[in-house]
Amino acid sequence: MEFIVYEQKGGYGIITISREKALNALNSTVLDELDQTLDAVNLDEVRCLILTGAGQKSFVAGADIGEMSTLTKAEGEAFGKKGNDVFRKLETFPIPVIAAINGFALGGGCEISMSCDFRICSDNAVFGQPEVGLGITPGFGGTQRLARLVGAGMAKQMIYTARNIKADEALRIGLVNAVYTQEELMPAAEKMAAGIAKNAPIAVRNCKKAINEGLDAAMDEAIVIEEKLFGDCFETEDQKYGMAFFLDKNKEKVKEPFKNC
Ligand code: DAK
């Protein structure tokens, strides 16, 4: 791969977008390679992913403006579809994906982070949707996901003004869950990923599905989605083991890793 580095560390994997000289901007090759990387994740072993950018300056500085500048309408549509498909693959990926945002997250960069399950960032992170200044609308789901995450009023303000916000403001409006120093960011992300990977994998996957699908449904339907995914956990080895372990009064017993079945 030219622009994606993938590393598996026990129960979790780290995907790094590595195109540092263009601040990790998303061109077609990055999008294709990200798609292929996701397809190749070993879901029997990996229970959580971290998505980050190479270097200390930028997570992803957006879609590649150079590549986009010469696109025809048809090519623009194809580029948009490529991005949307891979962003949606991330969003609906069976296991959680944590965005570890290590600098600029602008345009498509902010949008790809919003396709992840949640976001944490370094104190030099900058978020924004600058598209209207370039003569376009956010095209990788920004108008939809930002409004769902921070509310319509704040999303409209950010998008209409094209104003960037810093890490502390992103934390205040709920765009990120936590801010770390640059040095602390990846250790914190890895600790979270390892913690998620220790929990019962079928239950974690079902929680992701329930939250994602439930958010798109009316409450009566959403509760049924939850019921089905809750029921789905029963009779799994993980459920039997997790509950038996709790009920076992032998305090000396050490909890075994969940088996993913
Ligand atoms: N694309 C291509 N190259 C980029 C880039 C980008 N988005 N961002 C930075 N670079 C490149 C710069 O051109 C420069 O390259 P060289 O000149 O060294 O060859 C290198 O990265 C370093 O950037 P700077 O020299 O500008 O670094 P500074 O520290 O001075 O500034 C910056 C950093 C992040 C503030 C600045 O680079 C910047 O403003 N970058 C652009 C940010 C931006 O506007 N991003 C949003 C892009 S629009 C669609 C779906 C989605 C989209 C579009 C269509 N469809 C459905 C069709 C998404 C659109 C976007 O994301």
Side-chain angles (χ1 to χ4, degrees):
M1 297 246 170
E2 194 180 352
F3 298 128
I4 299 286
V5 177
Y6 179 65
E7 186 186 5
Q8 187 182 326
K9 284 188 160 180
Y12 63 91
I14 304 175
I15 299 177
T16 306
I17 298 174
S18 184
R19 196 183 167 223
E20 238 182 300
K21 66 180 168 55
L23 303 185
N24 304 322
L26 304 172
N27 62 12
S28 305
T29 310
V30 174
L31 293 172
D32 283 337
E33 290 184 1
L34 185 53
D35 191 50
Q36 290 158 21
T37 302
L38 289 171
D39 286 345
V41 170
N42 180 348
L43 289 170
D44 291 330
E45 292 175 3
V46 176
R47 297 174 180 182
C48 186
L49 288 176
I50 298 168
L51 179 69
T52 193
Q56 295 279 302
K57 186 170 172 182
S58 181
F59 171 68
V60 171
D64 190 301
I65 301 173
E67 181 175 334
M68 281 191 300
S69 63
T70 56
L71 297 182
T72 61
K73 273 189 185 180
E75 288 165 343
E77 207 176 306
F79 181 71
K81 180 164 167 40
K82 197 189 279 280
N84 278 327
D85 286 353
V86 72
F87 283 28
R88 190 73 182 130
K89 188 176 274 190
L90 268 176
E91 189 168 43
T92 59
F93 206 62
I95 57 175
V97 185
I98 303 171
I101 298 156
N102 54 312
F104 292 112
L106 302 175
C110 187
E111 289 170 308
I112 200 170
S113 80
M114 293 190 291
S115 302
C116 298
D117 288 271
F118 59 87
R119 289 142 294 286
I120 58 175
C121 73
S122 53
D123 49 15
N124 66 327
V126 176
F127 298 82
Q129 296 290 160
E131 286 86 348
V132 294
L134 295 166
I136 55 176
T137 62
F140 288 151
T143 57
Q144 303 310 307
R145 295 194 180 97
L146 188 60
R148 282 168 171 75
L149 276 169
V150 302
M154 189 57 76
K156 285 176 174 176
Q157 184 181 327
M158 278 181 67
I159 290 170
Y160 300 166
T161 63
R163 186 178 69 85
N164 292 342
I165 62 168
K166 293 185 177 161
D168 56 346
E169 194 172 350
L171 179 65
R172 186 176 60 75
I173 66 174
L175 184 53
V176 298
N177 290 1
V179 181
Y180 299 91
T181 63
Q182 283 174 266
E183 297 69 37
E184 286 169 338
L185 177 67
M186 283 312 289
E190 291 191 45
K191 193 172 168 196
M192 274 181 212
I196 291 170
K198 267 198 195 132
N199 288 324
I202 294 169
V204 172
R205 286 177 185 218
N206 283 9
C207 289
K208 173 165 180 168
K209 232 170 169 251
I211 295 169
N212 280 0
E213 291 178 13
L215 279 173
D216 290 334
M219 187 54 84
D220 285 329
E221 199 191 319
I223 285 297
V224 175
I225 292 171
E226 187 187 72
E227 276 165 21
K228 287 202 186 323
L229 288 160
F230 171 76
D232 197 42
C233 296
F234 286 81
E235 298 181 36
T236 64
E237 279 196 34
D238 287 350
Q239 175 263 328
K240 285 185 207 157
Y241 176 73
M243 292 190 175
F245 184 86
F246 175 80
L247 294 172
D248 190 332
K249 298 297 169 202
N250 176 5
K251 296 292 172 219
E252 304 297 303
K253 212 168 159 188
V254 178
K255 199 166 184 182
E256 302 286 334
F258 284 105
K259 292 203 175 65
N260 198 12
C261 54

